[in-house]
Amino acid sequence: MTLDALTQRLRDFAAARDWEPFHHPKNLVMALSGEVGELISLFQWLTPEGARAYRSDPTLTTNVRDEIADVLLYLIQLADSLDIDLLEVGNAKVDRNETRFPPVQR
């Protein structure tokens, strides 16, 4: 599936439920923030090693995957509502970061 196809699927999902009036940037960014908070809470008290080994706990693995999916879906909807191409802006940001943060000389 492409990002465009997933974006359209989210549009169709919202339309089928008459949620479009609520899917404006303010609400979407607030929902995105809430989902990021839920993701944070899964890692909050883990050690760095425990966070890296999250897959050793099947319940945590499921919850992490679900929260990352929620973050992704709200981010896609927010970008769609603002007419922002996520791949374009993501690549542009990496381009800028490559200039701002040159590789370590070894």
Side-chain angles (χ1 to χ4, degrees):
M1 176 173 279
T2 66
L3 185 55
D4 288 339
L6 184 54
T7 300
Q8 187 58 56
R9 185 172 182 199
L10 288 167
R11 286 177 191 153
D12 295 343
F13 182 89
R17 290 152 182 82
D18 294 325
W19 288 355
E20 296 103 328
F22 309 105
H23 283 195
H24 51 77
K26 181 190 79 71
N27 282 359
L28 291 169
V29 78
M30 289 174 64
L32 174 61
S33 176
E35 295 301 336
V36 169
E38 290 180 19
L39 181 59
I40 290 168
S41 73
L42 297 175
F43 289 97
Q44 183 172 6
W45 302 115
L46 298 179
T47 63
E49 296 77 22
R52 280 188 219 95
Y54 78 94
R55 288 187 177 138
S56 63
D57 179 338
T59 301
L60 181 58
T61 299
T62 297
N63 291 337
V64 166
R65 291 173 57 90
D66 282 349
E67 295 309 328
I68 285 177
D70 288 341
V71 168
L72 172 66
L73 298 177
Y74 275 120
L75 181 61
I76 290 169
Q77 290 175 71
L78 176 61
D80 188 39
S81 75
L82 295 169
D83 196 28
I84 292 174
D85 181 321
L86 284 171
L87 296 178
E88 177 187 313
V89 298
N91 277 305
K93 183 65 173 185
V94 172
D95 290 345
R96 286 192 305 280
N97 285 345
E98 287 176 336
T99 301
R100 291 178 59 210
F101 308 104
V104 175
Q105 299 299 317
R106 296 180 200 241

